[in-house]
């Protein structure tokens, strides 16, 4: 029997990993077998055992060799529009891209496994994505692209729910058009740019209410009163993005 070169052995190993992704996504990790993976890869069961000690090792290789589309890297040079476009593209890939969709299905639908490997990898991907979003929003506030009074903590919590729903529904309903993700994501960005009162920091709302109560009626109606204009010449409030308590 001719021994394989290192390159050929690595190519076989990668084929097994790729096949495992397809089998795990289609059958579910608990119900997948090494025989199924071997057939999908076009190799013998012995070849699988040559590279891996068992299904758990195959699963570990799958989880460590794949990066989810939503594990984005923040770039300070990109403004809010480009950064948000990257999120939209990543979401579309995660739900509609053939290979990325399979990985999404493994992380989301197979998250409860005895080993805890899938759940741990899903938490890792989620944390990376939320860290990216936090960086994007803070940078956008600092650059004046989003309101300085935006409640980042609440905004990110709401956004997390939106993303979770889009992922679950998109993966569960293959007929869902990509336009749903496009519209939902761009609508949320529009909301952040012009947030309703309840998405502003509580401290700012209280201060504004107190100010409105003390303003003369002529000023409330919009007339200009130089003596009531805020003096920010010595203020540090605008030097960094405002975050509510807990953000």
């Amino acid at each position: 029997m001719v021994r394989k070169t290192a390159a050929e052995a690595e190519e076989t190993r990668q084929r097994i990993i790729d096949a495992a992704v397809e089998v795990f996504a289609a059958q579910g990790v608990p119900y997948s077998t090494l025989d199924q993976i071997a057939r999908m890869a076009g190799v013998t069961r012995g070849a699988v055992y040559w590279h891996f000690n068992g299904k758990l090792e195959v699963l570990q290789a799958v989880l460590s060799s794949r990066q989810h589309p939503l594990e984005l890297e923040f770039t300070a040079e990109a403004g809010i529009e480009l950064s948000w476009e990257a999120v939209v593209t990543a979401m579309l890939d995660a739900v509609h891209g053939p290979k990325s969709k399979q990985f999404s299905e493994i992380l989301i639908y197979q998250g409860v496994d005895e080993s805890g490997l899938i759940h741990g990898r899903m938490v890792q991907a989620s944390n990376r994505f939320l860290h990216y979003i936090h960086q994007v929003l803070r940078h956008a506030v600092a650059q004046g692209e989003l309101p300085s009074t935006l409640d980042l903590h609440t905004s990110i919590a709401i956004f997390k729910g939106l993303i979770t729903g889009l992922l679950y529904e998109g993966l569960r309903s293959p007929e869902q058009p990509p336009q749903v993700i496009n519209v939902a994501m761009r609508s949320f960005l529009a909301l952040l740019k012009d947030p309703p009162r309840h998405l502003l920091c509580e401290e700012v709302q209280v201060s504004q209410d107190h100010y409105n109560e003390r303003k003369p009626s002529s000023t409330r109606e919009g007339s200009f009163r130089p003596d009531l204009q805020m003096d920010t010449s010595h203020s540090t409030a605008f030097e960094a993005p405002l975050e509510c308590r807990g953000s």
Side-chain angles (χ1 to χ4, degrees):
M1 179 173 140
V2 180
R3 292 180 62 86
K4 288 187 176 183
T5 64
E8 290 173 329
E10 180 56 33
E11 190 272 337
T12 299
R13 183 178 185 277
Q14 190 57 53
R15 277 168 54 198
I16 294 171
I17 293 174
D18 292 341
V21 171
E22 293 191 46
V23 174
F24 288 159
Q27 303 291 333
V29 174
Y31 307 105
S32 300
T33 67
L34 291 181
D35 284 333
Q36 292 172 324
I37 294 172
R39 285 196 297 272
M40 181 66 70
V43 300
T44 65
R45 182 184 172 93
V48 176
Y49 272 110
W50 175 265
H51 293 278
F52 305 98
N53 288 329
K55 188 170 71 172
L56 189 62
E57 270 200 14
V58 176
L59 177 60
Q60 287 176 316
V62 166
L63 297 177
S64 63
S65 66
R66 293 290 194 277
Q67 180 172 344
H68 195 271
L70 290 176
E71 295 181 276
L72 297 164
E73 293 292 333
F74 173 71
T75 304
E77 289 74 20
I80 185 66
E81 295 294 340
L82 287 178
S83 297
W84 208 257
E85 188 63 36
V87 177
V88 175
T89 300
M91 276 293 295
L92 290 170
D93 187 24
V95 174
H96 296 285
K99 291 185 178 181
S100 296
K101 180 181 179 180
Q102 289 175 336
F103 193 47
S104 294
E105 289 172 337
I106 292 173
L107 292 183
I108 293 175
Y109 289 129
Q110 309 299 328
V112 181
D113 65 304
E114 293 183 358
S115 69
L117 290 174
I118 300 176
H119 176 71
R121 183 66 182 86
M122 181 175 66
V123 169
Q124 181 186 53
S126 176
N127 287 342
R128 287 178 177 175
F129 176 62
L130 291 176
H131 181 62
Y132 170 82
I133 293 299
H134 200 278
Q135 288 178 302
V136 168
L137 296 188
R138 278 186 56 83
H139 184 69
V141 170
Q143 296 299 310
E145 296 175 302
L146 293 178
S148 61
T149 55
L150 182 65
D151 183 346
L152 294 182
H153 181 72
T154 302
S155 298
I156 292 173
I158 296 172
F159 184 67
K160 182 179 178 181
L162 173 65
I163 289 294
T164 300
L166 289 173
L167 283 173
Y168 272 95
E169 289 301 318
L171 294 173
R172 191 184 68 171
S173 308
E175 68 278 3
Q176 185 186 87
Q179 185 66 7
V180 172
I181 291 177
N182 265 309
V183 171
M185 298 294 291
R186 299 187 196 288
S187 296
F188 193 81
L189 178 58
L191 181 72
L192 295 179
K193 289 182 175 180
D194 186 18
R197 187 171 182 273
H198 52 266
L199 269 185
L200 301 179
C201 290
E202 182 180 352
E203 293 87 344
V204 176
Q205 292 182 33
V206 172
S207 177
Q208 185 64 42
D209 289 343
H210 181 66
Y211 175 66
N212 288 337
E213 289 173 1
R214 298 187 61 182
K215 283 194 301 182
S217 59
S218 60
T219 305
R220 293 176 196 167
E221 293 170 0
S223 62
F224 182 70
R225 285 284 304 279
D227 57 306
L228 292 179
Q229 300 307 301
M230 184 181 296
D231 178 11
T232 60
S233 59
H234 302 291
S235 174
T236 60
F238 300 96
E239 294 177 2
L242 173 67
E243 291 197 34
C244 305
R245 288 190 295 269
S247 294

